Amino acid sequence: MYELVVETSTNLPYDVRRAIKEAKERENKGTRAALSLSTITENIDMADEHVLPICQDTGMLTFEIKVPVGANQIKMKEAIHSAIRQATKDGKLRPNSVDSLTGENSGDNIGPGTPIIHFEQREKDYIDARLIIKGGGCENKNIQYSLPMEIEGLGRAGRDLDGIRKCVLHSVYQAQGQGCSAGFIGVGIGGDRISSYELAKKQLLRDVNDENENEKLAQLEDYILEKANTLGIGTMGFGGEATLLGCKAGSMNRLPASFFVSVAYNCWAFRRLGATLDAETGSIQEWMYKDGEKITFADDKSDQKDESDERKEVVLQAPITEEQIRELKVGDVVIINGDLHTGRDAIHHHLMDHDAPIDLDGQIIYHCGPVMLKDKQGEWHVKAAGPTTSIREEPYQGDIMKKFGIRAVIGKGGMGPKTLKALEEHGGVYLNAIGGAAQYYADCIKKVDGVDLMEFGIPEAMWHLKVEGFAAIVTMDSHGNSLHEDVDKTSFERLAKHKEKVFA
Ligand code: SF4
């Protein structure tokens, strides 16, 4: 179980690697999307090489385990819990399980409801153990539809295959790349609200290249994969060719009165693996999702900048002045050296009514909940440090920037109108880092200068970091421009072209 957990968190399956490689080949050279894919693939190699988490959001661990009749599930659950505790201690998983009412972190990823373990008995003499680790950023983009209904841009969706088609296409549009696209979706049709979502998540256990046995669903999967990639949302929602890398759909019976279509959205960091285990010893017999060649990206230079690339690169070092910020425009690439301070949900909430533990004037806040490990000498080390979803800080961000004089925030997925207005008034900028590139960014962190507000737990504390060569893209500037708004608008126009009936 320990091997399964660590391997899933650190080493992407072969079918997912192939899909990412194909997307990278399709993407136009020198674009923001190509730069993102290049960072992603570098990150995949780094995580694999150093056996460290692919993404700092080590996600919800969900085990689907098929056992021989009579297998002791209590013992297996204990083995899973102890493997998770050890993997957390070893920095392979971030402590990610928090009390929903108090916000207290259990510290070892074990708590009521975490991990999720499903057992199923069957007449075989070995164990089939599969694990999917799904992060919060993409989980928050899951969506459920109840047919019939009106769908924005697509009109009425009825209780038929064409109605399902509209739901699924819309699900990709509404994600806007925020669950770290290019992504994969699982679709559950029918059931009740809960079993429909479960069916959707289970579709993510299918191989990216398998073919649906149901002809109609196979048609639907092909259609969605093709059309979703014409919406122009692209990697990280920066615009581009690669939005969706896989679509798998399953159906089950329902009550005559309900018709649910549920979509489970998974980011590019599609961490799911499986193995067959000896039922007597628990040892691994064979890995799953590792057929064919293992793709690595070290020699892939297809993403390198060429002479026609007009991207502007600007180096920033805090403290930053308002004049420096006003010079930045959407699309510029920013390279940060020097100080960065992490801050996510708890910190933003705290700063609304309290003083900051350090002077933040001219500083940069990084929306990040890193994986940190303390060595025997008491020194902290960064094990994974990618950006978290910024929109959660929308109610606070603008006020906090003005209150403390913060000039830049880094995160992923962009922010809303309130922050955009504050950036314009105050002279601030939003920088989009590449979601999930936890190893790539951890490598840019050269020193941990200290930590404040540790009472919020490791991911939520304010870490003071020294970075070098930390790259991000300006997606919201101080002149009222937002790449996120632009991509939303154009992708909506493209979505609306698919109103007409396609499936009988
Ligand atoms: S890649 Fe993005 S969506 Fe996926 S787990 Fe990491 S931060 Fe979350």
Side-chain angles (χ1 to χ4, degrees):
M1 279 300 143
Y2 179 81
E3 263 184 88
L4 178 62
V5 171
V6 174
E7 189 75 357
T8 310
S9 177
T10 62
N11 192 354
L12 272 194
Y14 293 7
D15 57 334
V16 175
R17 286 168 182 264
R18 275 192 287 275
I20 292 175
K21 185 169 194 279
E22 282 162 23
K24 205 173 168 202
E25 284 165 359
R26 276 203 310 273
E27 201 52 83
N28 297 321
K29 252 183 165 183
T31 57
R32 290 181 289 261
L35 175 75
S36 313
L37 279 165
S38 148
T39 309
I40 285 170
T41 51
E42 198 176 331
N43 186 78
I44 294 168
D45 279 351
M46 288 168 87
D48 189 6
E49 190 186 333
H50 304 297
V51 195
L52 284 169
I54 295 163
C55 178
Q56 79 291 335
D57 184 358
T58 57
M60 178 65 89
L61 293 122
T62 305
F63 292 83
E64 296 289 341
I65 305 199
K66 293 185 179 136
V67 296
V69 177
N72 187 334
Q73 295 174 4
I74 297 170
K75 282 232 153 37
M76 292 173 74
K77 201 169 158 190
E78 282 167 8
I80 290 171
H81 283 192
S82 105
I84 290 174
R85 284 198 175 94
Q86 192 58 47
T88 309
K89 219 165 151 196
D90 295 344
K92 311 297 181 189
L93 297 173
R94 184 177 70 183
N96 240 4
S97 169
V98 295
D99 185 299
S100 289
L101 300 183
T102 65
E104 196 185 331
N105 195 315
S106 73
D108 60 3
N109 275 310
I110 308 296
T114 61
I116 298 167
I117 308 173
H118 297 139
F119 287 108
E120 192 186 317
Q121 288 198 11
R122 57 174 197 169
E123 303 272 5
K124 293 259 164 68
D125 62 359
Y126 63 90
I127 298 165
D128 176 319
R130 298 181 198 223
L131 168 61
I132 179 161
I133 305 183
K134 194 166 180 295
C138 56
E139 184 67 15
N140 293 344
K141 287 294 156 192
N142 288 359
I143 187 165
Q144 188 168 65
Y145 302 85
S146 175
L147 296 179
M149 66 183 289
E150 282 293 316
I151 296 187
E152 52 168 349
L154 293 173
R156 192 171 61 80
R159 290 183 155 190
D160 53 21
L161 195 60
D162 205 67
I164 297 166
R165 169 191 75 85
K166 289 185 177 178
C167 297
V168 185
L169 201 54
H170 179 266
S171 76
V172 180
Y173 158 73
Q174 63 86 39
Q176 282 296 302
Q178 286 165 6
C180 294
S181 65
F184 300 81
I185 53 173
V187 182
I189 302 159
D192 65 7
R193 282 199 184 271
I194 292 166
S195 60
S196 179
Y197 258 136
E198 266 178 5
L199 182 66
K201 196 166 178 181
K202 279 197 175 147
Q203 299 308 306
L204 296 173
L205 293 173
R206 286 173 47 195
D207 191 284
V208 175
N209 296 112
D210 76 1
E211 201 163 314
N212 203 314
E213 286 171 6
N214 180 310
E215 211 179 297
K216 284 185 176 160
L217 294 181
Q219 255 185 316
L220 176 74
E221 290 173 358
D222 291 346
Y223 170 90
I224 295 292
L225 195 55
E226 187 199 328
K227 300 298 182 212
N229 284 317
T230 64
L231 296 180
I233 296 167
T235 305
M236 293 298 132
F238 290 166
E241 312 300 316
T243 302
L244 193 67
L245 304 181
C247 170
K248 303 288 164 192
S251 76
M252 55 167 46
N253 285 8
R254 58 180 171 83
L255 295 177
S258 355
F259 198 130
F260 298 112
V261 178
S262 307
V263 180
Y265 188 92
N266 208 106
C267 53
W268 67 262
F270 188 9
R271 293 154 293 174
R272 63 107 171 78
L273 274 180
T276 53
L277 313 178
D278 185 298
E280 293 297 323
T281 65
S283 63
I284 291 174
Q285 291 176 328
E286 203 178 345
W287 285 101
M288 296 168 196
Y289 311 110
K290 288 194 178 191
D291 293 338
E293 191 202 350
K294 176 178 180 177
I295 288 168
T296 56
F297 301 93
D299 299 327
D300 185 356
K301 305 284 180 230
S302 61
D303 48 274
Q304 287 200 338
K305 259 179 111 178
D306 61 19
E307 270 135 46
S308 62
D309 185 1
E310 288 173 1
R311 233 173 20 218
K312 191 173 130 203
E313 273 188 15
V314 182
V315 177
L316 282 186
Q317 181 153 3
I320 306 164
T321 62
E322 184 179 344
E323 291 65 43
Q324 282 176 289
I325 292 296
R326 297 274 179 207
E327 278 175 23
L328 293 171
K329 301 261 161 35
V330 160
D332 291 347
V333 176
V334 168
I335 309 290
I336 298 159
N337 296 327
D339 294 329
L340 270 194
H341 312 279
T342 67
R344 42 181 281 163
D345 309 47
I347 297 285
H348 281 77
H349 188 253
H350 175 85
L351 290 180
M352 288 296 281
D353 306 315
H354 297 83
D355 284 340
I358 57 153
D359 182 6
L360 290 172
D361 195 24
Q363 297 294 317
I364 308 169
I365 289 289
Y366 183 24
H367 296 160
C368 169
V371 180
M372 305 292 290
L373 268 194
K374 205 184 219 175
D375 65 19
K376 290 198 178 105
Q377 288 71 44
E379 297 277 321
W380 284 103
H381 298 277
V382 184
K383 294 291 165 193
T388 191
T389 306
S390 300
I391 196 70
R392 297 196 306 271
E393 318 315 337
E394 178 69 4
Y396 316 110
Q397 195 65 75
D399 296 336
I400 284 172
M401 287 183 87
K402 288 179 182 172
K403 181 174 170 188
F404 296 101
I406 296 162
R407 288 288 168 208
V409 290
I410 310 170
K412 74 171 173 88
M415 303 194 73
K418 191 171 172 224
T419 304
L420 190 61
K421 190 159 174 271
L423 297 178
E424 202 172 0
E425 288 166 1
H426 163 67
V429 74
Y430 177 82
L431 305 169
N432 206 122
I434 311 305
Q439 291 311 315
Y440 173 84
Y441 287 117
D443 198 50
C444 298
I445 299 170
K446 301 303 171 194
K447 194 168 164 244
V448 180
D449 274 342
V451 58
D452 280 301
L453 301 169
M454 197 54 164
E455 60 269 32
F456 297 137
I458 289 177
E460 296 281 346
M462 182 179 260
W463 295 92
H464 309 300
L465 309 168
K466 279 265 181 312
V467 302
E468 231 177 78
F470 187 111
I473 294 168
V474 178
T475 55
M476 293 166 70
D477 63 23
S478 62
H479 310 284
N481 303 310
S482 165
L483 177 69
H484 310 282
E485 271 183 17
D486 296 348
V487 171
D488 192 330
K489 193 165 165 268
T490 49
S491 58
F492 185 77
E493 285 163 11
R494 291 179 185 188
L495 176 79
K497 289 188 181 149
H498 301 289
K499 262 189 199 140
E500 296 311 315
K501 202 172 179 74
V502 173
F503 295 123

